Amino acid sequence: MTFAPLVAVPLAAGLSAGLVIALRPLLVRYALARPNARSSHSVPTPQGGGIAVIVAAIAATGLLVAGQADDLAVIEVVVLGLAATALAIVGAVDDIRPLPASLRLVLQGLVVAGLVAAVGGRLLPAIPLPLERGLAILAGLWFVNLTNFMDGVDWMTVAEMVPLCAALALLGLAGGLDPLPVLVAASLLGALLGFAPFNRPVARLFLGDVGSLPIGLAVAWLLYRLALDGGLASAILLPLYYLADATITLVRRAARGERVWEAHRSHYYQRATVNGLSVMGVVTRVFVLNLGLAALAGLTLLWPSWPVTLSALALGAGAVAWVLRGFSHPRPKMG
């Protein structure tokens, strides 16, 4: 197994941190996020740190991709890079001058559809290929948006995506995954680590839609590739907290007749801060939960059997439910 992923992590981390330092003065001037009724921050804070994350991840992958796989696989990663860049542009525009929800959704759908078309293989061979591709586009579109929805407090995306990408990189080094997705995961891991010090509560820089949208796309692609390679259970376990919080919240809001496309503060992690838990307390719990989910996902790949898979899924679902329940209840007042 090549050691390119081990090189990708520090390379992307250094590039990301350097770009943040270089770009921050411009972001302070042109991309300042001012607090509003739905914000989790109380002072104006620059956003757009995702530019550094995405550029660093793409650059590290591009520099190390040679010799990792066949030409068709490399073309797929090139399409991923172009798709991530397109979503980053959409996000950058939306960060500076918000776009209509309908236009955002159409543009995201086109980008996701282009990426799905570039991915070969079948996940659901029992259904017609056009239906499978349509379901994949819907799933990808939802994951892109839920990643954006969940990026609502400092370090939340770091707490979710760092364990996920680290798990994929480690499993790849153990020989359990294809080289190219492993390289992409390692590059994204490094880029997020380089960004993390600047987003630590209380954040000096936000990721912004320019980062959350393409990160969601890249991780959706990684999980789709993992599922296609026989790791469907692990592809469910790794993002299970994000999937549960975002999906349950969407269903609850829709049932109440709310405009689900509008910004809000009713996600479980947001309710936790209202209920008295600090931002650091929230993201620490999410990070630890995701370490556990990553371990369970690894078990399903290393020991693939129905008893192990079902047990891992049940334990993962129970752990997520326990955290969500804790987030939804007020903290007891001390003294």
Side-chain angles (χ1 to χ4, degrees), residues 125-163:
I127 68 174
L129 180 60
L131 178 57
E132 179 181 343
R133 293 290 187 259
L135 292 173
I137 292 170
L138 287 176
L141 190 57
W142 175 227
F143 200 87
V144 166
N145 280 281
L146 74 83
T147 303
N148 184 29
F149 298 158
M150 295 295 290
D151 184 46
V153 296
D154 305 339
W155 254 6
M156 177 57 78
T157 298
V158 172
E160 174 67 25
M161 297 307 181
V162 164

PDB file of all heavy atoms in Angstrom, residues 125-163:
ATOM      1  N   PRO A 125     -28.364  -3.216  -7.780  1.00  0.00           N
ATOM      2  CA  PRO A 125     -28.553  -3.815  -9.111  1.00  0.00           C
ATOM      3  C   PRO A 125     -29.958  -4.352  -9.357  1.00  0.00           C
ATOM      4  O   PRO A 125     -30.317  -4.621 -10.508  1.00  0.00           O
ATOM      5  CB  PRO A 125     -27.519  -4.946  -9.135  1.00  0.00           C
ATOM      6  CG  PRO A 125     -27.229  -5.252  -7.702  1.00  0.00           C
ATOM      7  CD  PRO A 125     -27.378  -3.957  -6.967  1.00  0.00           C
ATOM      8  N   ALA A 126     -30.767  -4.496  -8.304  1.00  0.00           N
ATOM      9  CA  ALA A 126     -32.116  -5.030  -8.482  1.00  0.00           C
ATOM     10  C   ALA A 126     -33.082  -4.000  -9.063  1.00  0.00           C
ATOM     11  O   ALA A 126     -34.178  -4.365  -9.494  1.00  0.00           O
ATOM     12  CB  ALA A 126     -32.659  -5.543  -7.138  1.00  0.00           C
ATOM     13  N   ILE A 127     -32.692  -2.726  -9.080  1.00  0.00           N
ATOM     14  CA  ILE A 127     -33.577  -1.690  -9.620  1.00  0.00           C
ATOM     15  C   ILE A 127     -32.962  -1.128 -10.894  1.00  0.00           C
ATOM     16  O   ILE A 127     -31.755  -1.262 -11.127  1.00  0.00           O
ATOM     17  CB  ILE A 127     -33.822  -0.565  -8.590  1.00  0.00           C
ATOM     18  CG1 ILE A 127     -32.531   0.225  -8.342  1.00  0.00           C
ATOM     19  CG2 ILE A 127     -34.356  -1.132  -7.284  1.00  0.00           C
ATOM     20  CD1 ILE A 127     -32.727   1.439  -7.453  1.00  0.00           C
ATOM     21  N   PRO A 128     -33.777  -0.495 -11.762  1.00  0.00           N
ATOM     22  CA  PRO A 128     -33.233   0.066 -13.008  1.00  0.00           C
ATOM     23  C   PRO A 128     -32.133   1.096 -12.733  1.00  0.00           C
ATOM     24  O   PRO A 128     -32.183   1.829 -11.735  1.00  0.00           O
ATOM     25  CB  PRO A 128     -34.457   0.723 -13.659  1.00  0.00           C
ATOM     26  CG  PRO A 128     -35.628   0.016 -13.062  1.00  0.00           C
ATOM     27  CD  PRO A 128     -35.246  -0.335 -11.667  1.00  0.00           C
ATOM     28  N   LEU A 129     -31.145   1.131 -13.621  1.00  0.00           N
ATOM     29  CA  LEU A 129     -30.017   2.035 -13.444  1.00  0.00           C
ATOM     30  C   LEU A 129     -30.446   3.510 -13.333  1.00  0.00           C
ATOM     31  O   LEU A 129     -29.931   4.221 -12.460  1.00  0.00           O
ATOM     32  CB  LEU A 129     -29.025   1.858 -14.598  1.00  0.00           C
ATOM     33  CG  LEU A 129     -27.784   2.750 -14.552  1.00  0.00           C
ATOM     34  CD1 LEU A 129     -26.982   2.486 -13.289  1.00  0.00           C
ATOM     35  CD2 LEU A 129     -26.919   2.525 -15.799  1.00  0.00           C
ATOM     36  N   PRO A 130     -31.375   4.016 -14.182  1.00  0.00           N
ATOM     37  CA  PRO A 130     -31.771   5.420 -14.039  1.00  0.00           C
ATOM     38  C   PRO A 130     -32.359   5.735 -12.659  1.00  0.00           C
ATOM     39  O   PRO A 130     -32.101   6.812 -12.105  1.00  0.00           O
ATOM     40  CB  PRO A 130     -32.823   5.608 -15.139  1.00  0.00           C
ATOM     41  CG  PRO A 130     -32.495   4.572 -16.164  1.00  0.00           C
ATOM     42  CD  PRO A 130     -32.005   3.399 -15.374  1.00  0.00           C
ATOM     43  N   LEU A 131     -33.132   4.785 -12.100  1.00  0.00           N
ATOM     44  CA  LEU A 131     -33.695   5.000 -10.768  1.00  0.00           C
ATOM     45  C   LEU A 131     -32.584   5.028  -9.723  1.00  0.00           C
ATOM     46  O   LEU A 131     -32.596   5.872  -8.815  1.00  0.00           O
ATOM     47  CB  LEU A 131     -34.702   3.900 -10.445  1.00  0.00           C
ATOM     48  CG  LEU A 131     -35.350   3.965  -9.054  1.00  0.00           C
ATOM     49  CD1 LEU A 131     -36.054   5.289  -8.833  1.00  0.00           C
ATOM     50  CD2 LEU A 131     -36.316   2.789  -8.858  1.00  0.00           C
ATOM     51  N   GLU A 132     -31.627   4.106  -9.853  1.00  0.00           N
ATOM     52  CA  GLU A 132     -30.513   4.094  -8.902  1.00  0.00           C
ATOM     53  C   GLU A 132     -29.735   5.406  -8.968  1.00  0.00           C
ATOM     54  O   GLU A 132     -29.377   5.985  -7.935  1.00  0.00           O
ATOM     55  CB  GLU A 132     -29.578   2.930  -9.189  1.00  0.00           C
ATOM     56  CG  GLU A 132     -28.388   2.885  -8.231  1.00  0.00           C
ATOM     57  CD  GLU A 132     -27.437   1.739  -8.515  1.00  0.00           C
ATOM     58  OE1 GLU A 132     -27.834   0.791  -9.224  1.00  0.00           O
ATOM     59  OE2 GLU A 132     -26.293   1.795  -8.016  1.00  0.00           O
ATOM     60  N   ARG A 133     -29.460   5.879 -10.171  1.00  0.00           N
ATOM     61  CA  ARG A 133     -28.731   7.134 -10.318  1.00  0.00           C
ATOM     62  C   ARG A 133     -29.540   8.303  -9.743  1.00  0.00           C
ATOM     63  O   ARG A 133     -28.975   9.204  -9.115  1.00  0.00           O
ATOM     64  CB  ARG A 133     -28.405   7.392 -11.795  1.00  0.00           C
ATOM     65  CG  ARG A 133     -27.404   6.404 -12.383  1.00  0.00           C
ATOM     66  CD  ARG A 133     -26.017   6.636 -11.794  1.00  0.00           C
ATOM     67  NE  ARG A 133     -25.011   5.818 -12.470  1.00  0.00           N
ATOM     68  CZ  ARG A 133     -24.510   4.690 -11.995  1.00  0.00           C
ATOM     69  NH1 ARG A 133     -24.936   4.217 -10.832  1.00  0.00           N
ATOM     70  NH2 ARG A 133     -23.590   4.022 -12.656  1.00  0.00           N
ATOM     71  N   GLY A 134     -30.846   8.281  -9.944  1.00  0.00           N
ATOM     72  CA  GLY A 134     -31.691   9.341  -9.388  1.00  0.00           C
ATOM     73  C   GLY A 134     -31.655   9.349  -7.872  1.00  0.00           C
ATOM     74  O   GLY A 134     -31.565  10.413  -7.240  1.00  0.00           O
ATOM     75  N   LEU A 135     -31.717   8.167  -7.269  1.00  0.00           N
ATOM     76  CA  LEU A 135     -31.633   8.070  -5.807  1.00  0.00           C
ATOM     77  C   LEU A 135     -30.265   8.537  -5.310  1.00  0.00           C
ATOM     78  O   LEU A 135     -30.166   9.190  -4.265  1.00  0.00           O
ATOM     79  CB  LEU A 135     -31.897   6.633  -5.367  1.00  0.00           C
ATOM     80  CG  LEU A 135     -33.324   6.120  -5.576  1.00  0.00           C
ATOM     81  CD1 LEU A 135     -33.410   4.625  -5.254  1.00  0.00           C
ATOM     82  CD2 LEU A 135     -34.324   6.905  -4.721  1.00  0.00           C
ATOM     83  N   ALA A 136     -29.207   8.206  -6.053  1.00  0.00           N
ATOM     84  CA  ALA A 136     -27.868   8.640  -5.669  1.00  0.00           C
ATOM     85  C   ALA A 136     -27.748  10.159  -5.718  1.00  0.00           C
ATOM     86  O   ALA A 136     -27.114  10.779  -4.849  1.00  0.00           O
ATOM     87  CB  ALA A 136     -26.825   7.994  -6.582  1.00  0.00           C
ATOM     88  N   ILE A 137     -28.362  10.777  -6.717  1.00  0.00           N
ATOM     89  CA  ILE A 137     -28.332  12.240  -6.821  1.00  0.00           C
ATOM     90  C   ILE A 137     -29.070  12.875  -5.650  1.00  0.00           C
ATOM     91  O   ILE A 137     -28.588  13.836  -5.029  1.00  0.00           O
ATOM     92  CB  ILE A 137     -28.938  12.693  -8.165  1.00  0.00           C
ATOM     93  CG1 ILE A 137     -28.025  12.281  -9.324  1.00  0.00           C
ATOM     94  CG2 ILE A 137     -29.154  14.219  -8.173  1.00  0.00           C
ATOM     95  CD1 ILE A 137     -28.653  12.460 -10.688  1.00  0.00           C
ATOM     96  N   LEU A 138     -30.242  12.331  -5.313  1.00  0.00           N
ATOM     97  CA  LEU A 138     -31.007  12.864  -4.175  1.00  0.00           C
ATOM     98  C   LEU A 138     -30.221  12.711  -2.873  1.00  0.00           C
ATOM     99  O   LEU A 138     -30.177  13.640  -2.045  1.00  0.00           O
ATOM    100  CB  LEU A 138     -32.349  12.146  -4.074  1.00  0.00           C
ATOM    101  CG  LEU A 138     -33.400  12.497  -5.123  1.00  0.00           C
ATOM    102  CD1 LEU A 138     -34.640  11.622  -4.948  1.00  0.00           C
ATOM    103  CD2 LEU A 138     -33.775  13.975  -5.035  1.00  0.00           C
ATOM    104  N   ALA A 139     -29.599  11.541  -2.691  1.00  0.00           N
ATOM    105  CA  ALA A 139     -28.814  11.311  -1.481  1.00  0.00           C
ATOM    106  C   ALA A 139     -27.621  12.262  -1.416  1.00  0.00           C
ATOM    107  O   ALA A 139     -27.322  12.837  -0.355  1.00  0.00           O
ATOM    108  CB  ALA A 139     -28.340   9.857  -1.431  1.00  0.00           C
ATOM    109  N   GLY A 140     -26.948  12.445  -2.543  1.00  0.00           N
ATOM    110  CA  GLY A 140     -25.813  13.360  -2.574  1.00  0.00           C
ATOM    111  C   GLY A 140     -26.228  14.795  -2.311  1.00  0.00           C
ATOM    112  O   GLY A 140     -25.561  15.533  -1.576  1.00  0.00           O
ATOM    113  N   LEU A 141     -27.351  15.195  -2.898  1.00  0.00           N
ATOM    114  CA  LEU A 141     -27.853  16.551  -2.699  1.00  0.00           C
ATOM    115  C   LEU A 141     -28.215  16.779  -1.238  1.00  0.00           C
ATOM    116  O   LEU A 141     -27.937  17.846  -0.670  1.00  0.00           O
ATOM    117  CB  LEU A 141     -29.070  16.766  -3.602  1.00  0.00           C
ATOM    118  CG  LEU A 141     -29.615  18.188  -3.741  1.00  0.00           C
ATOM    119  CD1 LEU A 141     -28.541  19.131  -4.245  1.00  0.00           C
ATOM    120  CD2 LEU A 141     -30.820  18.189  -4.690  1.00  0.00           C
ATOM    121  N   TRP A 142     -28.825  15.788  -0.607  1.00  0.00           N
ATOM    122  CA  TRP A 142     -29.179  15.915   0.806  1.00  0.00           C
ATOM    123  C   TRP A 142     -27.924  15.988   1.669  1.00  0.00           C
ATOM    124  O   TRP A 142     -27.846  16.803   2.590  1.00  0.00           O
ATOM    125  CB  TRP A 142     -30.059  14.745   1.232  1.00  0.00           C
ATOM    126  CG  TRP A 142     -30.381  14.713   2.706  1.00  0.00           C
ATOM    127  CD1 TRP A 142     -30.299  13.636   3.526  1.00  0.00           C
ATOM    128  CD2 TRP A 142     -30.853  15.789   3.536  1.00  0.00           C
ATOM    129  NE1 TRP A 142     -30.678  13.963   4.809  1.00  0.00           N
ATOM    130  CE2 TRP A 142     -31.023  15.286   4.836  1.00  0.00           C
ATOM    131  CE3 TRP A 142     -31.134  17.131   3.291  1.00  0.00           C
ATOM    132  CZ2 TRP A 142     -31.453  16.081   5.899  1.00  0.00           C
ATOM    133  CZ3 TRP A 142     -31.562  17.929   4.349  1.00  0.00           C
ATOM    134  CH2 TRP A 142     -31.726  17.395   5.630  1.00  0.00           C
ATOM    135  N   PHE A 143     -26.915  15.182   1.362  1.00  0.00           N
ATOM    136  CA  PHE A 143     -25.713  15.197   2.187  1.00  0.00           C
ATOM    137  C   PHE A 143     -24.971  16.521   2.060  1.00  0.00           C
ATOM    138  O   PHE A 143     -24.433  17.038   3.042  1.00  0.00           O
ATOM    139  CB  PHE A 143     -24.780  14.038   1.833  1.00  0.00           C
ATOM    140  CG  PHE A 143     -23.808  13.722   2.926  1.00  0.00           C
ATOM    141  CD1 PHE A 143     -24.157  12.856   3.943  1.00  0.00           C
ATOM    142  CD2 PHE A 143     -22.550  14.310   2.955  1.00  0.00           C
ATOM    143  CE1 PHE A 143     -23.275  12.572   4.981  1.00  0.00           C
ATOM    144  CE2 PHE A 143     -21.663  14.042   3.977  1.00  0.00           C
ATOM    145  CZ  PHE A 143     -22.023  13.173   5.001  1.00  0.00           C
ATOM    146  N   VAL A 144     -24.924  17.080   0.852  1.00  0.00           N
ATOM    147  CA  VAL A 144     -24.307  18.397   0.671  1.00  0.00           C
ATOM    148  C   VAL A 144     -25.002  19.435   1.546  1.00  0.00           C
ATOM    149  O   VAL A 144     -24.349  20.231   2.245  1.00  0.00           O
ATOM    150  CB  VAL A 144     -24.364  18.814  -0.809  1.00  0.00           C
ATOM    151  CG1 VAL A 144     -24.057  20.308  -0.976  1.00  0.00           C
ATOM    152  CG2 VAL A 144     -23.390  17.983  -1.642  1.00  0.00           C
ATOM    153  N   ASN A 145     -26.310  19.416   1.547  1.00  0.00           N
ATOM    154  CA  ASN A 145     -27.057  20.423   2.300  1.00  0.00           C
ATOM    155  C   ASN A 145     -27.031  20.166   3.801  1.00  0.00           C
ATOM    156  O   ASN A 145     -26.948  21.107   4.591  1.00  0.00           O
ATOM    157  CB  ASN A 145     -28.493  20.492   1.781  1.00  0.00           C
ATOM    158  CG  ASN A 145     -28.597  21.302   0.506  1.00  0.00           C
ATOM    159  OD1 ASN A 145     -28.609  22.526   0.519  1.00  0.00           O
ATOM    160  ND2 ASN A 145     -28.653  20.616  -0.627  1.00  0.00           N
ATOM    161  N   LEU A 146     -27.105  18.913   4.210  1.00  0.00           N
ATOM    162  CA  LEU A 146     -27.074  18.662   5.661  1.00  0.00           C
ATOM    163  C   LEU A 146     -25.709  19.018   6.239  1.00  0.00           C
ATOM    164  O   LEU A 146     -25.610  19.462   7.397  1.00  0.00           O
ATOM    165  CB  LEU A 146     -27.477  17.225   5.987  1.00  0.00           C
ATOM    166  CG  LEU A 146     -26.543  16.056   5.714  1.00  0.00           C
ATOM    167  CD1 LEU A 146     -25.534  15.859   6.837  1.00  0.00           C
ATOM    168  CD2 LEU A 146     -27.361  14.773   5.545  1.00  0.00           C
ATOM    169  N   THR A 147     -24.633  18.853   5.457  1.00  0.00           N
ATOM    170  CA  THR A 147     -23.317  19.284   5.927  1.00  0.00           C
ATOM    171  C   THR A 147     -23.309  20.789   6.143  1.00  0.00           C
ATOM    172  O   THR A 147     -22.737  21.294   7.121  1.00  0.00           O
ATOM    173  CB  THR A 147     -22.224  18.881   4.925  1.00  0.00           C
ATOM    174  OG1 THR A 147     -22.258  17.464   4.720  1.00  0.00           O
ATOM    175  CG2 THR A 147     -20.840  19.272   5.423  1.00  0.00           C
ATOM    176  N   ASN A 148     -23.963  21.504   5.254  1.00  0.00           N
ATOM    177  CA  ASN A 148     -24.091  22.959   5.402  1.00  0.00           C
ATOM    178  C   ASN A 148     -24.950  23.305   6.614  1.00  0.00           C
ATOM    179  O   ASN A 148     -24.601  24.189   7.417  1.00  0.00           O
ATOM    180  CB  ASN A 148     -24.711  23.535   4.122  1.00  0.00           C
ATOM    181  CG  ASN A 148     -24.799  25.044   4.148  1.00  0.00           C
ATOM    182  OD1 ASN A 148     -23.987  25.713   4.782  1.00  0.00           O
ATOM    183  ND2 ASN A 148     -25.786  25.593   3.475  1.00  0.00           N
ATOM    184  N   PHE A 149     -26.073  22.601   6.784  1.00  0.00           N
ATOM    185  CA  PHE A 149     -26.964  22.870   7.919  1.00  0.00           C
ATOM    186  C   PHE A 149     -26.254  22.632   9.261  1.00  0.00           C
ATOM    187  O   PHE A 149     -26.488  23.357  10.224  1.00  0.00           O
ATOM    188  CB  PHE A 149     -28.199  21.965   7.869  1.00  0.00           C
ATOM    189  CG  PHE A 149     -29.074  22.158   6.669  1.00  0.00           C
ATOM    190  CD1 PHE A 149     -29.937  21.149   6.260  1.00  0.00           C
ATOM    191  CD2 PHE A 149     -29.034  23.326   5.931  1.00  0.00           C
ATOM    192  CE1 PHE A 149     -30.746  21.310   5.155  1.00  0.00           C
ATOM    193  CE2 PHE A 149     -29.840  23.501   4.819  1.00  0.00           C
ATOM    194  CZ  PHE A 149     -30.700  22.492   4.425  1.00  0.00           C
ATOM    195  N   MET A 150     -25.433  21.609   9.309  1.00  0.00           N
ATOM    196  CA  MET A 150     -24.819  21.207  10.576  1.00  0.00           C
ATOM    197  C   MET A 150     -23.598  22.051  10.938  1.00  0.00           C
ATOM    198  O   MET A 150     -23.087  21.949  12.055  1.00  0.00           O
ATOM    199  CB  MET A 150     -24.434  19.729  10.524  1.00  0.00           C
ATOM    200  CG  MET A 150     -25.614  18.775  10.403  1.00  0.00           C
ATOM    201  SD  MET A 150     -26.696  18.801  11.840  1.00  0.00           S
ATOM    202  CE  MET A 150     -25.645  18.013  13.054  1.00  0.00           C
ATOM    203  N   ASP A 151     -23.133  22.869  10.029  1.00  0.00           N
ATOM    204  CA  ASP A 151     -21.977  23.731  10.303  1.00  0.00           C
ATOM    205  C   ASP A 151     -22.461  25.018  10.973  1.00  0.00           C
ATOM    206  O   ASP A 151     -22.322  26.109  10.423  1.00  0.00           O
ATOM    207  CB  ASP A 151     -21.221  24.028   9.005  1.00  0.00           C
ATOM    208  CG  ASP A 151     -19.955  24.840   9.245  1.00  0.00           C
ATOM    209  OD1 ASP A 151     -19.203  24.488  10.173  1.00  0.00           O
ATOM    210  OD2 ASP A 151     -19.729  25.819   8.519  1.00  0.00           O
ATOM    211  N   GLY A 152     -23.017  24.862  12.182  1.00  0.00           N
ATOM    212  CA  GLY A 152     -23.651  26.004  12.833  1.00  0.00           C
ATOM    213  C   GLY A 152     -22.999  26.471  14.115  1.00  0.00           C
ATOM    214  O   GLY A 152     -23.405  27.481  14.681  1.00  0.00           O
ATOM    215  N   VAL A 153     -22.000  25.743  14.609  1.00  0.00           N
ATOM    216  CA  VAL A 153     -21.235  26.192  15.765  1.00  0.00           C
ATOM    217  C   VAL A 153     -19.753  25.902  15.503  1.00  0.00           C
ATOM    218  O   VAL A 153     -19.407  25.076  14.661  1.00  0.00           O
ATOM    219  CB  VAL A 153     -21.668  25.498  17.087  1.00  0.00           C
ATOM    220  CG1 VAL A 153     -23.098  25.861  17.445  1.00  0.00           C
ATOM    221  CG2 VAL A 153     -21.500  23.984  17.004  1.00  0.00           C
ATOM    222  N   ASP A 154     -18.890  26.590  16.235  1.00  0.00           N
ATOM    223  CA  ASP A 154     -17.450  26.438  16.061  1.00  0.00           C
ATOM    224  C   ASP A 154     -17.039  24.977  16.228  1.00  0.00           C
ATOM    225  O   ASP A 154     -17.488  24.288  17.156  1.00  0.00           O
ATOM    226  CB  ASP A 154     -16.702  27.283  17.090  1.00  0.00           C
ATOM    227  CG  ASP A 154     -17.102  28.750  17.051  1.00  0.00           C
ATOM    228  OD1 ASP A 154     -17.623  29.181  16.013  1.00  0.00           O
ATOM    229  OD2 ASP A 154     -16.894  29.441  18.070  1.00  0.00           O
ATOM    230  N   TRP A 155     -16.196  24.521  15.333  1.00  0.00           N
ATOM    231  CA  TRP A 155     -15.577  23.195  15.367  1.00  0.00           C
ATOM    232  C   TRP A 155     -16.536  22.047  15.072  1.00  0.00           C
ATOM    233  O   TRP A 155     -16.141  20.888  15.152  1.00  0.00           O
ATOM    234  CB  TRP A 155     -14.896  22.946  16.721  1.00  0.00           C
ATOM    235  CG  TRP A 155     -13.400  23.030  16.642  1.00  0.00           C
ATOM    236  CD1 TRP A 155     -12.640  23.405  15.565  1.00  0.00           C
ATOM    237  CD2 TRP A 155     -12.468  22.721  17.686  1.00  0.00           C
ATOM    238  NE1 TRP A 155     -11.305  23.367  15.875  1.00  0.00           N
ATOM    239  CE2 TRP A 155     -11.168  22.950  17.178  1.00  0.00           C
ATOM    240  CE3 TRP A 155     -12.600  22.297  18.998  1.00  0.00           C
ATOM    241  CZ2 TRP A 155     -10.012  22.766  17.927  1.00  0.00           C
ATOM    242  CZ3 TRP A 155     -11.446  22.109  19.753  1.00  0.00           C
ATOM    243  CH2 TRP A 155     -10.172  22.337  19.226  1.00  0.00           C
ATOM    244  N   MET A 156     -17.799  22.327  14.711  1.00  0.00           N
ATOM    245  CA  MET A 156     -18.722  21.226  14.467  1.00  0.00           C
ATOM    246  C   MET A 156     -18.283  20.388  13.262  1.00  0.00           C
ATOM    247  O   MET A 156     -18.258  19.148  13.327  1.00  0.00           O
ATOM    248  CB  MET A 156     -20.145  21.745  14.261  1.00  0.00           C
ATOM    249  CG  MET A 156     -21.164  20.663  13.920  1.00  0.00           C
ATOM    250  SD  MET A 156     -21.256  19.338  15.143  1.00  0.00           S
ATOM    251  CE  MET A 156     -22.218  20.135  16.421  1.00  0.00           C
ATOM    252  N   THR A 157     -17.937  21.037  12.152  1.00  0.00           N
ATOM    253  CA  THR A 157     -17.510  20.278  10.977  1.00  0.00           C
ATOM    254  C   THR A 157     -16.213  19.539  11.252  1.00  0.00           C
ATOM    255  O   THR A 157     -16.018  18.402  10.792  1.00  0.00           O
ATOM    256  CB  THR A 157     -17.348  21.217   9.766  1.00  0.00           C
ATOM    257  OG1 THR A 157     -18.621  21.816   9.470  1.00  0.00           O
ATOM    258  CG2 THR A 157     -16.871  20.468   8.534  1.00  0.00           C
ATOM    259  N   VAL A 158     -15.320  20.139  12.021  1.00  0.00           N
ATOM    260  CA  VAL A 158     -14.082  19.466  12.412  1.00  0.00           C
ATOM    261  C   VAL A 158     -14.394  18.222  13.239  1.00  0.00           C
ATOM    262  O   VAL A 158     -13.844  17.138  13.011  1.00  0.00           O
ATOM    263  CB  VAL A 158     -13.172  20.430  13.202  1.00  0.00           C
ATOM    264  CG1 VAL A 158     -11.972  19.686  13.786  1.00  0.00           C
ATOM    265  CG2 VAL A 158     -12.696  21.566  12.300  1.00  0.00           C
ATOM    266  N   ALA A 159     -15.300  18.350  14.214  1.00  0.00           N
ATOM    267  CA  ALA A 159     -15.647  17.235  15.094  1.00  0.00           C
ATOM    268  C   ALA A 159     -16.304  16.093  14.337  1.00  0.00           C
ATOM    269  O   ALA A 159     -16.189  14.927  14.740  1.00  0.00           O
ATOM    270  CB  ALA A 159     -16.577  17.717  16.212  1.00  0.00           C
ATOM    271  N   GLU A 160     -16.995  16.394  13.240  1.00  0.00           N
ATOM    272  CA  GLU A 160     -17.653  15.366  12.446  1.00  0.00           C
ATOM    273  C   GLU A 160     -16.725  14.760  11.412  1.00  0.00           C
ATOM    274  O   GLU A 160     -16.606  13.534  11.291  1.00  0.00           O
ATOM    275  CB  GLU A 160     -18.880  15.950  11.745  1.00  0.00           C
ATOM    276  CG  GLU A 160     -19.574  15.013  10.777  1.00  0.00           C
ATOM    277  CD  GLU A 160     -20.223  13.825  11.457  1.00  0.00           C
ATOM    278  OE1 GLU A 160     -20.557  13.914  12.658  1.00  0.00           O
ATOM    279  OE2 GLU A 160     -20.395  12.784  10.791  1.00  0.00           O
ATOM    280  N   MET A 161     -16.063  15.612  10.641  1.00  0.00           N
ATOM    281  CA  MET A 161     -15.345  15.133   9.464  1.00  0.00           C
ATOM    282  C   MET A 161     -13.938  14.636   9.747  1.00  0.00           C
ATOM    283  O   MET A 161     -13.427  13.787   9.009  1.00  0.00           O
ATOM    284  CB  MET A 161     -15.302  16.243   8.407  1.00  0.00           C
ATOM    285  CG  MET A 161     -16.668  16.659   7.893  1.00  0.00           C
ATOM    286  SD  MET A 161     -17.633  15.243   7.295  1.00  0.00           S
ATOM    287  CE  MET A 161     -19.141  16.051   6.741  1.00  0.00           C
ATOM    288  N   VAL A 162     -13.285  15.126  10.796  1.00  0.00           N
ATOM    289  CA  VAL A 162     -11.943  14.638  11.101  1.00  0.00           C
ATOM    290  C   VAL A 162     -11.956  13.155  11.477  1.00  0.00           C
ATOM    291  O   VAL A 162     -11.182  12.362  10.916  1.00  0.00           O
ATOM    292  CB  VAL A 162     -11.282  15.505  12.191  1.00  0.00           C
ATOM    293  CG1 VAL A 162     -10.074  14.796  12.808  1.00  0.00           C
ATOM    294  CG2 VAL A 162     -10.837  16.839  11.592  1.00  0.00           C
ATOM    295  N   PRO A 163     -12.820  12.697  12.410  1.00  0.00           N
ATOM    296  CA  PRO A 163     -12.858  11.250  12.679  1.00  0.00           C
ATOM    297  C   PRO A 163     -13.251  10.424  11.453  1.00  0.00           C
ATOM    298  O   PRO A 163     -12.712   9.332  11.229  1.00  0.00           O
ATOM    299  CB  PRO A 163     -13.902  11.123  13.793  1.00  0.00           C
ATOM    300  CG  PRO A 163     -13.942  12.455  14.442  1.00  0.00           C
ATOM    301  CD  PRO A 163     -13.706  13.438  13.335  1.00  0.00           C
TER     302      PRO A 163
END
